[in-house]
Structure formats: structure tokens, C-alpha cells
Amino acid sequence: MADEFILSDAGTGAMLLDVAKGSAFDEGRQARLLALAESLSDAHGVEDVVPGMNNLMVTFDPLAVDAGEIERRLLEGWHRATPIEDSGRSHDIAVVYGGPDLQEFAAGLGLSADDVVNLHSAGAYRVAAVGAMPGFPYLSGLDPRLATPRRALPRQGVPKGAVIVGGGQAGIMPITAPSGWHILGHTDFTLFDPHRAFPATLRPGDRVRFTIAGVER
Amino acid sequence: MIEILSSGALNSVQDRGRRGLLSSGVSRSGAMDILALDAANALLGNDRDAAAIEVAAFPFRMRFDVATTVAVTGALAEAQLADRRLPPWWATEVHAGDDLTIAPPTAGARVYVAVGGGIDVPLLLGARATELKSGYGGHEGRGLKRGDRLPLGRRPPGGLPEGGIGAPPPPGRTEADGPLRVLPAAEWAEFSEEARERFVSVGWGVTAEADRQGCRLDGPELMRERRRELLSHGIVPGTVQVPPSGQPIVQLAEANTCGGYPKIATVIEADLWRLGQAMPGDALRFAVVGRDEALAALRETAQWLDGLRKAASLYRVS
């Protein structure tokens, strides 16, 4: 059922609409969510509308607007939402593949490091959402052969520029920070600049390709 | 101006944090104990968005170049202003040249030092809060160190009575060992009955992995009945995640804006300050409440602050 969803409280002032139903990421549902996100951004009492991967979190001032009202807007909005026109920009991002996880990651999948590099750089990715860290892009379009669970314990310092994958998703580290994802390589591409009005370089709907700038062994 | 005479890198300029930028991945940041920050600004008659210093490394010493006002709230710690010892949660006039020294707390982790007119570092992405994890905002995107000089905003008109004014204990401060109230979160029902029962019945130890980003807790493993990978989703400060290790992490002010671990519960906003005051080795308990109680607690806090702001304004001498 395309319209199934789970709605849950995320504390007093936030609500999460999850339309994934535990299944794989779906581009069509994401496009509808982005339309819903846009329609909610000016709603009374709403502070933040945060698209995730097949989900949407809305934060609001619970003293200014009733949680039930947000709930109603989310549900009605979801049923009405139609995908917005495809207007994303395109970005080519040069990657030097290698790093602490590449060999082990490949071995865990029964692949060679070269297979991983080729599969990762062949993908056509879309920015599904931006978040976690400042300007971090959640990229859909990862080859399912590269899908693996996240690490059991997050690593404390994954470096800025690390090109990473986790679950069925791909991403790039905009800053050095903890992450439970696997590191496949490194890029110099700038993802975030707090001195710009729109601090994040990539936005939901944008297209990304990774090019091979080198492979380190 | 004020000058920092002694500080650790964990001390930073903080305000109420950034709103409306979660979808660019910009964490809320801001004070870990917003109630203490709000109270300090209320005592001084500052705007509620005024920035203060969050002190988490002690001893902390600073000097005032100008006559102004100061308020010290948050963790209970000895605060010495020139030759005076300040009572807890206190605001008073300061003279140019006065030194303020904050000793290590006897209870709690973070002290807030607010100054009349606030710390006037540049606004960045709508706030003056320092984002220590990502290195932007506040004073040069970093913690404070000796020799830093910070500009002050224009202090509100009127002065404080001689001797100063204090705040009564805010709601919940005196029974600080009561449970942290939580609302069930998205994956609550996926945890086994035993795990849910454990979550609310045991004392959770605050580990050394506790900072402005989050707080890892130590206790019995919380297992889910259904193990599945979640797609990444927005999270807020207060989210209690349970990674595959089964040991919960509570996300705090500088939490990542999205996460992928299952969420058993969310600490209600009115109780979040308690995690900002938790020290490694402290034991925390959780109690599940409903939306109504969570909202009532938030209202109670807002009313207490309103009352404090009004009372403080009556004492202001013009």
C-alpha cells in the first residue's frame, strides 16, 4: 500500500512521519515527502521540516500549536502530496578511493576493493535529504550489492571529506565527526559553509556522480 | 569587554541555539541547561536570546573591563566576585576591574555566566551559540581560552539593588534525583516487554562518553524483538537511541540532526536540562509519561520563567 505510514512523537515538540514501512528506500515516496515538506514549511507554529529517507520530521512550538493539529496536517498533507517537479542541480564529485575500511568492507561482501570502487563510482545518486551533520547529503542510488549494516559501534572521528556508505545509503562527511558508516575514500568537495545564507552545498533533489580521482592501496 | 583569565576548551559562548536549520544539518546547539540560561537572562532583564558563557571546565576566571551586571546560575558552585561570595542563582552589579571566579561545582556539571546585554559575538546562522563539534559560531567557533576578550551588548536600562537579586528554585530542581520523564518514541513497541520494563526500572549510569553531543548510558542491554535497519530520519535533542550494542545514548544539544539507530523514547523538553547537569557516574532513571504531562511540565517552566522575569523587573532600579 503506497499510503501506509507510521506517525510517532519525537518528544513534546516534534513528530516523525515514516512512510518507509520497513521496506527499501523508494524514490517516488521521497518526491511526495519533499512536496509535503515544502507545503508545511510556513505552517503556524512549525519550526523545522526535516526530510529524512522516506520519512519527515516536523518540529514545532508545542505551546503555540497543538500536537494534534500537526498530526492532522501531516496526515492530510501526505495523502494529498504529489511529487514536485524534478529541478535538482548536478554535481560531479572526485574521490580518491581507499582508507581504513575499504578492504574489509569489500571482503565482507565477497567482493574485491576494485569491485567496490567500480560499483560505487558507477552509481547515479540523488540527494534524498540533508542532515545529521551540517550539509551532510543522504544519497540514494547506492548499488544494492554495496548495502551492509552500519558498524555495531560508531567510530569517534571519521574525517571530513570521507566518502562513506551505511545500510543502503551513501554519503560524504562534511566535517570530522563520529559515524557508524564505512569509509570507502576521500574527497575535497566543500559541503558546508556556515557563512553562506544557504550553508549546505547540496539540497534534496540534487544529482550526484562520483568520479575516480585515484585509488590508494 | 570581558577578558577570560582562566578557562578550559569546554567553556563556550551559548544562547538558546539555532532553530529552523535542521534540514541543512545544522544542530540546535545552544545551552545544555537552557532553563539556567533563561533564568540568568531573566534576572538581568536581558533579551531571552542573549548569549552567556557556559562553563563546564573549572576553575573559570574572568575580568570585567566595564561596570555592568552579572548573573550566575546552573550547577551549584562557589562563585567569587571581587571580594564577595555570590549565593546560588544570583544576579548583581559588577564594577569595572572586578574578577569573577567559579570553582568546581558541588552538584551539577555546567554553570552559566550571563552579563548585562549578553555576550555580543557575531550572529551566525541566526544565533551566537558555539557549535563545538563543527567549529563555528560563538567566539571563533571554539571554546574559550585565557586572553580571549569578548564584546558585550548594550545592557538593559536600570540597575540591580545593592547586594543583588536571586531566583527561587525552578520546577524540579530540588527533587533532582527523580526520574527523567520520557515520551515513547517510534520504535518503542519493537523493544521486548522485558527491555521496556528494564528501561524504566533500572538506574542508568552516565558514562565518561558524555558531552554536548550526547550521553552514553551504562546498564542492562535493551534488545529489540525485531532487528531491522532503519532508514535515516530526523532526530531532536532528548532522543534516546539504542544502537546494536543495546546501551542507550541520549542525544543532546549538538546532536546530529538525523540518525539511524532505533529510538526507544524521547526525554521531554522540560527535563532536558538535567542531562546538561549530569556527571559521569551519576545514575539516571526514566519514567514514561503522556503528551499532556509533558506539555504541562513545559508550561510550568515557562510560567516560572515569566514570573522570574516580572519579579526581577520590579527590583530593577532606574
Side-chain angles (χ1 to χ4, degrees), chain B residues 64-217:
Chain B
F64 295 86
D65 284 4
V66 291
T68 180
T69 51
V70 68
V72 180
T73 61
L76 296 182
E78 204 180 287
Q80 181 92 20
L81 176 67
D83 55 358
R84 285 205 288 150
R85 178 85 54 85
L86 299 184
W89 291 59
W90 203 256
T92 187
E93 293 281 330
V94 276
H95 303 112
D98 280 357
D99 284 3
L100 175 69
T101 305
I102 314 276
T106 51
R110 292 177 173 85
V111 170
Y112 292 82
V113 177
V115 180
I119 308 289
D120 193 23
V121 294
L123 273 173
L124 187 75
L125 299 173
R128 294 184 174 83
T130 313
E131 166 82 9
L132 289 174
K133 168 190 66 178
S134 315
Y136 60 80
H139 180 67
E140 299 177 356
R142 60 166 171 80
L144 298 173
K145 58 184 189 200
R146 188 157 68 115
D148 282 344
R149 293 173 59 78
L150 304 175
L152 303 182
R154 219 175 131 139
R155 63 179 282 200
L160 293 171
E162 194 172 333
I165 58 172
R173 284 271 164 175
T174 46
E175 61 271 16
D177 47 358
L180 286 168
R181 290 167 290 184
V182 299
L183 291 176
E187 283 73 52
W188 169 261
E190 291 183 17
F191 286 87
S192 67
E193 207 178 315
E194 193 189 356
R196 282 180 269 160
E197 174 57 30
R198 275 179 182 172
F199 178 65
V200 295
S201 59
V202 306
W204 294 93
V206 175
T207 67
E209 283 181 61
D211 58 17
R212 287 180 45 78
Q213 210 180 330
C215 173
R216 196 184 288 273
L217 301 177

Side-chain angles (χ1 to χ4, degrees), chain A residues 8-16 20 22-25 47-55 57 59 62-63 67-68 71 130-136 138 149-154 156 167 169 175-176 178 180-181 192 194-197 199-200, chain B residues 18-28 124-125 131 133-134 136 183-187 209 213 216 226 228-236 239 243-245 249 255-261 263 266-270 291 294-295 298-299 302:
Chain A
S8 57
D9 285 330
T12 334
M15 218 168 268
L16 181 68
S23 54
F25 176 79
E47 282 177 353
D48 263 301
V49 182
V50 189
M53 302 287 279
N54 278 185
N55 55 65
M57 183 178 75
T59 73
L63 298 179
E71 204 168 79
V130 172
M133 292 157 271
F136 177 81
Y138 284 98
R150 299 175 185 90
R151 296 164 57 86
L153 266 182
Q156 282 310 306
Q169 304 164 60
I175 56 168
T176 298
W181 294 24
F192 183 77
H195 298 282
R196 296 187 303 218
Chain B
R18 299 183 170 82
R19 301 270 167 165
L21 287 164
L22 290 178
S23 59
S24 292
V26 173
S27 303
R28 200 170 278 175
L124 187 75
L125 299 173
E131 166 82 9
K133 168 190 66 178
S134 315
Y136 60 80
L183 291 176
E187 283 73 52
E209 283 181 61
Q213 210 180 330
R216 196 184 288 273
R226 253 176 89 209
R228 60 184 178 102
E229 285 273 315
L230 298 175
L231 296 176
S232 294
H233 50 268
I235 55 172
V236 291
T239 303
S245 69
I249 300 172
N256 290 347
T257 60
C258 292
Y261 290 130
K263 308 161 291 303
T266 315
V267 177
I268 67 171
E269 269 182 89
R291 265 187 202 168
L295 206 56
L298 198 58
R299 275 205 192 94

Side-chain angles (χ1 to χ4, degrees), chain A residues 63-86:
Chain A
L63 298 179
V65 59
D66 188 62
E69 170 68 11
I70 299 290
E71 204 168 79
R72 190 185 61 74
R73 279 177 168 276
L74 274 169
L75 297 187
E76 284 182 14
W78 171 243
H79 290 305
R80 264 204 320 265
T82 49
I84 41 176
E85 282 306 299
D86 169 358

